[in-house]
Amino acid sequence: MAKTIDQHFDNLRGSRVWRSIFRSGTGSSTLKRALAVQQNVFLHLFSTKVRTRMLSFSATWYLGTLTLGTFLILVATGIPLMFYYHPSAPQAYADTKDLQFVVSSGLFLRNLHRWSAHVMVFLVFAHMFKVFYRGAYRAPREFNWVIGVILLLVTLLLSYTGYLLPWDQLAYWAITVGSNIASAVPVMGGKIHFLLLGGNAVNANALLRFYVLHCMILPLAAMFFVAIHFWRIRKDGGLYSHGSEPATVREDKVSASEGKLGVAARDRIASEGGRVAQVLHASFAVGASAIGPAEPRHADARAERNFFRVAADDVANDLMAWRDARLLWRKIAFDDMQIGAADAAGAHAQKNMSSLG
């Protein structure tokens, strides 16, 4: 009689090779499941048991998991981008343009990397606000709150160091402004400025330094602190739950109305899939533009403004131009009226003089 797939898998799990790798053995008991988690190099960072209520959407909004997901997307898209990028001052901008026009799917990779970075910054702030307003920073979770603050700073540094890599006017002058702000720090400002740029100005040394920070040091630091973050969640007793919290995160009995919350959460997640598809579409359609290679001798007016102010300023300029055109039209119409009135007065005076003569 032919063996089923489950039987073949059971035989594999009972083999000596499998037991040498997975020491917990086989079985579906609570003890076997707990050992499988505790003796796995990856799974042991997580709790062996989790309250079912803590898996609901309202408990955490999945902000931590979504942040980790965006970080993994950044890693998955950043590694292919490294194959087509040279961290040198004259070549970096050309490589950015090649990714946009020459490399197959290069525009999609760069845009997906850019959008994921923006979303990650937003999710990290949202996660911090959620933890703060729920009071999850209190004992015994003070240390993990500090780790979260460090991860927030690492995320901001990742975003800041990646800003210079396209080596265009916007990147050059944004880093110039940011480094000058750092130099204004009392006592240590000058040393921080020199350490950040590798010199006194934004040049090839700064580009290479930002590249190493963005692609090696900061991602490794983020992975290290993320591992500690998850491990501390397990050691601190799992996700935060307190009597003052809503009923969806308490340890009391599940009510019928609360049972419907899981269905609503799953429906919410399914609806969010459409928004994820829209973000992927935006990665194709809405690109990260470059407004010219970095030029220290020429400060582009658009490069000196924050990216979120460019569109607003353009709209304001259009409105001002429309206002100026309207005022000019009024002035022309008023001048025409004055000329017409003067001509009429002159004709009337000439008629009176002719009648007197």
Side-chain angles (χ1 to χ4, degrees):
M1 183 177 179
K3 294 183 179 180
T4 63
I5 298 178
D6 292 337
Q7 291 175 341
H8 283 292
F9 191 68
D10 290 338
N11 293 334
L12 176 63
R13 290 193 299 178
S15 64
R16 185 173 181 179
V17 176
W18 182 277
R19 292 296 301 274
S20 65
I21 300 174
F22 303 98
R23 304 297 298 275
S24 61
T26 61
S28 58
S29 63
T30 303
L31 176 61
K32 293 293 185 181
R33 292 176 179 177
L35 290 176
V37 173
Q38 293 175 356
Q39 298 179 4
N40 188 287
V41 67
F42 301 106
L43 297 180
H44 85 282
L45 297 174
F46 304 95
S47 302
T48 56
K49 294 181 180 181
V50 180
R51 299 184 184 92
T52 305
R53 201 65 51 78
M54 299 310 300
L55 299 178
S56 63
F57 178 79
S58 61
T60 61
W61 294 353
Y62 304 151
L63 293 175
T65 304
L66 292 174
T67 304
L68 178 62
T70 54
F71 178 73
L72 296 178
I73 293 175
L74 288 170
V75 174
T77 56
I79 292 176
L81 290 175
M82 292 173 62
F83 290 112
Y84 299 98
Y85 183 82
H86 299 81
S88 58
Q91 187 64 30
Y93 180 77
D95 292 341
T96 302
K97 284 297 184 181
D98 288 342
L99 283 169
Q100 186 174 357
F101 297 106
V102 179
V103 178
S104 177
S105 301
L107 180 62
F108 170 72
L109 283 175
R110 187 186 172 209
N111 291 341
L112 184 59
H113 193 81
R114 172 175 173 263
W115 281 104
S116 299
H118 293 334
V119 172
M120 181 178 177
V121 173
F122 170 77
L123 289 175
V124 168
F125 275 102
H127 183 51
M128 295 291 289
F129 288 143
K130 175 72 173 177
V131 172
F132 179 78
Y133 284 110
R134 292 182 69 239
Y137 59 87
R138 294 178 290 193
R141 296 174 173 82
E142 302 95 334
F143 178 75
N144 211 18
W145 169 258
V146 175
I147 297 296
V149 174
I150 295 175
L151 285 172
L152 172 63
L153 297 178
V154 171
T155 302
L156 296 177
L157 288 175
L158 279 168
S159 180
Y160 182 72
T161 54
Y163 208 74
L164 182 63
L165 300 187
W167 197 247
D168 59 350
Q169 282 285 77
L170 181 62
Y172 180 88
W173 291 106
I175 300 304
T176 300
V177 173
S179 60
N180 289 337
I181 293 175
S183 65
V185 176
V187 182
M188 298 292 293
K191 295 182 180 180
I192 295 175
H193 182 268
F194 189 87
L195 180 64
L196 187 64
L197 300 181
N200 296 318
V202 180
N203 50 26
N205 293 334
L207 179 61
L208 181 60
R209 186 160 298 199
F210 274 51
Y211 177 79
V212 175
L213 286 171
H214 186 75
C215 298
M216 289 295 298
I217 298 177
L218 291 176
L220 292 177
M223 293 178 185
F224 175 73
F225 285 110
V226 165
I228 296 178
H229 196 62
F230 282 109
W231 176 73
R232 287 297 301 192
I233 291 176
R234 172 189 174 185
K235 291 299 182 180
D236 293 337
L239 298 176
Y240 181 72
S241 178
H242 192 265
S244 62
E245 292 296 312
T248 53
V249 294
R250 291 178 189 166
E251 298 183 31
D252 52 358
K253 213 170 179 182
V254 183
S255 63
S257 60
E258 292 170 355
K260 298 178 182 179
L261 183 62
V263 178
R266 289 192 294 270
D267 294 340
R268 177 67 179 273
I269 296 172
S271 65
E272 293 296 328
R275 299 188 180 182
V276 174
Q278 293 177 2
V279 172
L280 293 177
H281 178 267
S283 299
F284 282 107
V286 182
S289 61
I291 59 176
E295 179 54 56
R297 295 170 296 180
H298 175 65
D300 195 315
R302 294 176 64 89
E304 293 178 333
R305 293 177 284 170
N306 294 326
F307 71 94
F308 52 83
R309 289 185 54 194
V310 172
D313 289 348
D314 289 342
V315 173
N317 291 334
D318 293 339
L319 292 175
M320 292 176 64
W322 177 76
R323 184 199 62 181
D324 294 340
R326 189 177 177 186
L327 292 176
L328 180 61
W329 178 83
R330 283 185 173 182
K331 186 176 183 303
I332 293 174
F334 182 73
D335 292 342
D336 290 341
M337 291 175 62
Q338 285 184 331
I339 293 174
D343 292 341
H348 181 72
Q350 186 178 4
K351 182 179 179 181
N352 291 335
M353 293 194 54
S354 62
S355 62
L356 290 175

